[in-house]
Amino acid sequence: MKTVGFAAYDPKKPLAPYAFERRGLRDNDVAMEILYCGVCHSDLHTARNDWGWSYYPIVPGHEIVGRVTQIGSQVSRYKIGDHVAVGCMVDSCQECDQCKKGEEQLCREGNTGTYAGYDRFTKEPTQGGYSKHLVVREEFCLRMPEGLDLSKAAPLLCAGITTWSPLKTWNVKPGSRVGVIGLGGLGHMAVKLAVGLGADVTVVSRSNAKEADALALGANRLLVSADSDAMAQSHDHFDLIIDTVPVKHDITPYLPLLDVDGTLVLVGQVGPMDEFNTVPLLLGRRRVAGSPIGGIRETQEMLDFCAEKNILPDCEMILMEEINEAFERMERADVRYRFVIDMASLEAPAAV
């Protein structure tokens, strides 16, 4: 299948048009025309090889909403014309204990990334959603619920599930006390989803500049981390803190905010962190944990929940040709709160 996209050809160069071929359909594959693709901070990191595992050319994009155009002979869940979605992974071994539990993101053999991965059979590098078409294994294709706005839903496939998974893992329910550090693409989804689950939600930020935004998103309050008195008054307050900060930082000031047996979950920074003081952990029986995306079953649950509660990310729609400017703005935190690419702006190939 011939298609086109935008790819990084070099870690220091802007993304540019790229013509390539998707693999032909296997019996259990779904092919789709991509309608919308969210822009994740991981896309920027990958394009610039910040994590050291990028290959070139590479097509980013793992927040994908599309329309089914072809199905393999064994596909039973979808038909041509269905609206579907794909997140951060397109395959896993399907045989290990984690896969059988519906935790494909924790596959013992490693899941296959939508991009920056390798096909389990052909070993070809995978390419992501900044493109016109995608071919994916049926089991990793998600159903878009009726009533969910397709033009805004794409960021749910990464930002949504990345914050939904820890909320569910740590059993957030009505009355749970949840803190969210950072109010960007991940943070604003953590707030919306925690509010949807009935939690009492506090945004933790360095200043009160985002207080109005936090309250508009449904948070109960904003806590200024630079205000030592306010921080001291909030000791032992939270059952769960979701830390969405995407850079190296010190978590020590946040640990006393946790109640006994409370957990701070890191979902933003991938890589080194500052040293932190263990005293608040030991004396308060508090925990620090990490969490990736969720599995396919959990992601479908999240999509259905968002449709039921009408929870959607706050998005700014861009054209494909505006992606490099979007990357620059994302680095400056100049987006509220997620870019989505209208893939109709990407010209289709002459023959498919």
Side-chain angles (χ1 to χ4, degrees):
M1 176 184 288
K2 293 181 180 179
T3 193
V4 292
F6 262 56
Y9 289 83
D10 179 278
K12 296 182 179 179
K13 293 180 180 177
L15 270 64
Y18 177 50
F20 64 107
E21 287 191 7
R22 295 287 187 188
R23 60 178 171 79
L25 263 69
R26 300 176 186 133
D27 290 343
N28 62 342
D29 279 341
V30 172
M32 70 187 70
E33 176 190 4
I34 298 175
L35 304 176
Y36 301 99
C37 186
V39 180
C40 177
H41 218 279
S42 299
D43 302 344
L44 176 60
H45 285 305
T46 299
R48 297 186 177 172
N49 201 24
D50 291 338
W51 296 326
W53 56 60
S54 299
Y55 45 71
Y56 298 95
I58 190 164
V59 178
H62 57 203
E63 300 177 340
I64 299 164
V65 172
R67 181 189 299 110
V68 175
T69 56
Q70 294 177 288
I71 58 173
S73 61
Q74 295 179 8
V75 170
S76 60
R77 304 179 191 179
Y78 303 102
K79 64 183 184 302
I80 293 171
D82 284 351
H83 288 125
V84 293
V86 174
C88 301
M89 54 185 172
V90 292
D91 206 350
S92 70
C93 81
Q94 299 285 286
E95 296 295 333
C96 71
D97 59 329
Q98 296 303 313
C99 287
K100 289 181 177 179
K101 287 197 302 183
E103 300 274 25
E104 299 92 345
Q105 78 281 16
L106 302 174
C107 175
R108 299 292 185 181
E109 294 185 9
N111 69 71
T112 302
T114 304
Y115 63 82
Y118 294 90
D119 186 273
R120 304 184 79 83
F121 299 98
T122 67
K123 310 306 179 186
E124 296 172 274
T126 56
Q127 303 288 8
Y130 293 8
S131 58
K132 201 68 178 175
H133 306 93
L134 184 71
V135 176
V136 62
R137 182 173 178 162
E138 177 185 24
E139 291 89 342
F140 288 78
C141 192
L142 294 142
R143 174 184 49 79
M144 288 301 295
E146 290 290 333
L148 202 58
D149 187 338
L150 299 179
S151 69
K152 295 181 179 179
L156 296 175
L157 280 304
C158 180
I161 187 57
T162 297
T163 50
W164 175 261
S165 189
L167 290 170
K168 297 299 288 185
T169 298
W170 278 273
N171 194 31
V172 168
K173 56 186 182 298
S176 295
R177 300 163 299 166
V178 176
V180 177
I181 305 174
L183 196 62
L186 286 173
H188 95 290
M189 283 309 310
V191 170
K192 289 190 175 195
L193 291 169
V195 169
L197 288 166
D200 181 274
V201 181
T202 302
V203 172
V204 185
S205 188
R206 290 173 292 182
S207 75
N208 63 2
K210 294 185 176 181
E211 183 172 23
D213 287 352
L215 297 178
L217 290 168
N220 297 87
R221 66 195 65 82
L222 182 137
L223 171 63
V224 178
S225 60
D227 184 337
S228 57
D229 290 339
M231 290 287 280
Q233 292 170 13
S234 298
H235 283 190
D236 309 313
H237 179 72
F238 296 109
D239 303 305
L240 178 70
I241 295 176
I242 299 180
D243 183 343
T244 71
V245 177
V247 296
K248 183 179 179 181
H249 60 287
D250 182 13
I251 61 172
T252 303
Y254 308 114
L255 298 178
L257 303 179
L258 292 167
D259 204 349
V260 174
D261 288 328
T263 304
L264 184 148
V265 184
L266 297 163
V267 300
Q269 167 63 347
V270 179
M273 291 285 286
D274 288 341
E275 292 183 5
F276 64 90
N277 193 320
T278 65
V279 171
L281 291 182
L282 300 176
L283 298 185
R285 203 167 69 193
R286 303 174 173 104
R287 306 182 184 91
V288 176
S291 180
I293 58 170
I296 296 299
R297 182 171 60 235
E298 192 171 56
T299 306
Q300 187 66 63
E301 173 191 67
M302 178 270 306
L303 290 173
D304 294 341
F305 178 82
C306 288
E308 176 189 346
K309 299 285 187 176
N310 194 30
I311 294 173
L312 287 164
D314 288 11
C315 302
E316 179 178 338
M317 192 70 69
I318 63 170
L319 307 178
M320 186 71 256
E321 63 190 33
E322 297 173 318
I323 186 59
N324 292 303
E325 178 187 352
F327 273 8
E328 293 173 5
R329 287 181 54 193
M330 196 160 53
E331 283 192 298
R332 302 194 302 266
D334 178 24
V335 55
R336 293 174 57 183
Y337 287 94
R338 209 70 165 183
F339 289 116
V340 173
I341 307 166
D342 181 353
M343 299 309 299
S345 64
L346 180 61
E347 188 174 340
V352 177

